[in-house]
Amino acid sequence: MPGSRAALEHELADCLRSVLILAHRYDVDLDAAFLRTMDELDRSINGSDRSISGSGRSISGSGRPVSGPGTLDGGPG
């Protein structure tokens, strides 16, 4: 299992669980914080006020897209 895809998936899921527990414990609106941070990163990278767009998935049904692998806009990397 070490070095396998299953090991990577396990570690990522474990990290996500830890983040979700911390967000809950400290009453952090993770959805809002994530979207705000991605908008800030997008503006700093692109030098504009353009928000994230693309074919990514939304978080918690917010309707806002989430970056796909490789790029901030969910497009090809």
Side-chain angles (χ1 to χ4, degrees):
M1 185 157 140
S4 70
R5 174 82 180 194
L8 174 62
E9 290 173 355
H10 175 84
E11 291 304 318
L12 290 172
D14 189 37
C15 290
L16 180 58
R17 177 182 177 271
S18 296
V19 168
L20 293 172
I21 287 170
L22 287 169
H24 178 74
R25 179 177 209 155
Y26 293 101
D27 197 28
V28 171
D29 182 345
L30 202 50
D31 187 37
F34 177 83
L35 295 173
R36 185 174 53 250
T37 300
M38 292 302 102
D39 283 343
E40 290 169 4
L41 287 171
D42 191 51
R43 282 192 302 273
S44 70
I45 289 169
N46 295 305
S48 71
D49 287 329
R50 184 179 66 84
S51 63
I52 298 173
S53 62
S55 60
R57 295 177 297 271
S58 67
I59 295 181
S60 302
S62 68
R64 294 282 309 274
V66 175
S67 308
T71 68
L72 287 177
D73 66 359

